[in-house]
Amino acid sequence: MVQHLKHAYIAGTGYYVPKKVLTNKDLEKIVDTSDEWITTRTGIKERRIAAREETTSVIGAKAAKQALKAAGIKADELDLIITATITPDMPFPATSALIQNIIGACKAGVVDIEAACSGYIYAISMANQFIRTGEYKNILIVASEILSRITDWEDRNTCVLFGDAAGAAVIRESQSKSEIIAAYLGGDGAYKDLLYLPGGGSLNPVSKATIDKRLHYIKMKGNETFKVAVTQMSLSAEKVLEKAGMTKKDVSLLVPHQANLRIIQAVQKRLELPDDKVYINVNRYGNTSAATIAVAIAEAVQEGKVKKGDIILFVAFGGGFTWASALIRW
Ligand code: COA
């Protein structure tokens, strides 16, 4: 059976970031913080904030159109759309259905996945399975977040960290050496209370009380989250390399989840990678959850930092906790 499996590759990428820039200096006017504190603790200098008329599906569709163009296929050739988001336009229908409608992907199945900041890699892994078995030929994955609408702008512990953005990729059957080599997915729900949004679901349905208690905003224990993030991102990177029979020396470019520069640097150190083998944009966009890696790889491609044959390592970590990694031969 195994010899009949096909290979999947990333045929095109795209991204979109809203125009409005919110700098650390701007935040100094909103909460008791400073540019110096935010920069030294996180590496973030600014983030993007969506305009009121922009929703997760609207910005996701913009990234999707770019990815389709880069892949050289039309929306009606898509078999499936998988959207990774923790900020859907609404609980249902799936944001994928809304994106399908905007881009005109009339033959595609539509589903969303919720793996927080690891969602883009989870989507890649799932798309990979459908292509490898021959079930589908063209899959669009979108990672789109408008975190500014679930951010508590009165909580300085969290509001300095997040931003809005969307990235997308088209995954297709490969006819060359380009391929998704391996992926590793993990998580541990025992950490559910370290990073979460408690209100609005079946546990705490929306009520005046949930709103008064600000349960509709992100809650995070930053310090504990930081430690698990460093450990699990490093382990996830090692696990996917081992799965692929490769070593850290084979990595051409690490594209990590962009939550905090210090987390990225700790993972970089563990993998013994020089600065020019690590893609960083957390300074410009902050943490955009599922969208970070999707945007970063699309930017890296547009900047000419990715060459055919390069080995790209994605590694992410997020609420759940979830963690994930993927190795791509470009
Ligand atoms: N401005 C100024 N001071 C702030 C602040 C802000 N925006 N946010 C928190 N502080 C204060 C705290 O109140 C605390 O003050 P205290 O000592 O008087 O109580 C102090 O800074 C230290 O807080 P602490 O939480 O220990 O700081 P830290 O070094 O852990 O950095 C984070 C905080 C959030 C930047 C860091 O923990 C982090 O990045 N964690 C991981 C977050 C993350 O990546 N989450 C997403 C994962 S996908």
Side-chain angles (χ1 to χ4, degrees), residues 25-189:
K25 285 276 171 211
D26 296 330
L27 278 167
E28 287 177 2
K29 293 175 208 142
I30 301 172
V31 286
D32 180 14
T33 191
S34 66
D35 174 39
E36 201 265 332
W37 192 95
I38 302 170
T39 306
T40 52
R41 302 287 177 120
T42 72
I44 301 166
K45 296 299 281 184
E46 57 188 45
R47 68 286 292 144
R48 300 299 178 100
I49 305 293
R52 191 60 201 94
E53 66 276 13
E54 289 180 318
T55 66
T56 299
S57 65
V58 167
I59 67 170
K62 286 188 176 170
K65 282 179 190 166
Q66 234 185 62
L68 285 167
K69 196 169 170 209
I73 67 163
K74 300 236 161 2
D76 64 8
E77 293 177 73
L78 288 171
D79 302 306
L80 181 67
I81 302 175
I82 307 174
T83 300
T85 186
I86 55 166
T87 50
D89 284 27
M90 52 191 106
F92 75 91
T95 300
S96 287
L98 307 176
I99 291 173
Q100 179 211 45
N101 187 45
I102 297 171
I103 66 176
C106 48
K107 295 183 200 133
V110 285
V111 67
D112 287 3
I113 59 162
E114 213 279 46
C117 306
S118 308
Y120 177 69
I121 300 180
Y122 268 72
I124 286 180
S125 176
M126 290 175 186
N128 190 29
Q129 307 313 314
F130 280 116
I131 305 272
R132 294 203 73 194
T133 57
E135 177 79 3
Y136 292 137
K137 293 217 173 323
N138 302 314
I139 299 177
L140 171 69
I141 60 175
V142 182
S144 183
E145 302 281 16
I146 301 204
L147 296 179
S148 62
R149 289 185 198 145
I150 58 165
T151 295
D152 187 345
W153 293 101
E154 293 180 12
D155 177 13
R156 69 172 183 175
N157 290 292
T158 53
C159 76
V160 302
L161 303 174
F162 303 111
D164 304 335
V170 173
I171 314 287
R172 302 190 72 189
E173 189 184 316
S174 177
Q175 311 293 343
S176 70
K177 291 202 166 138
S178 299
E179 63 170 326
I180 297 164
I181 304 166
Y184 162 74
L185 310 179
D188 188 346

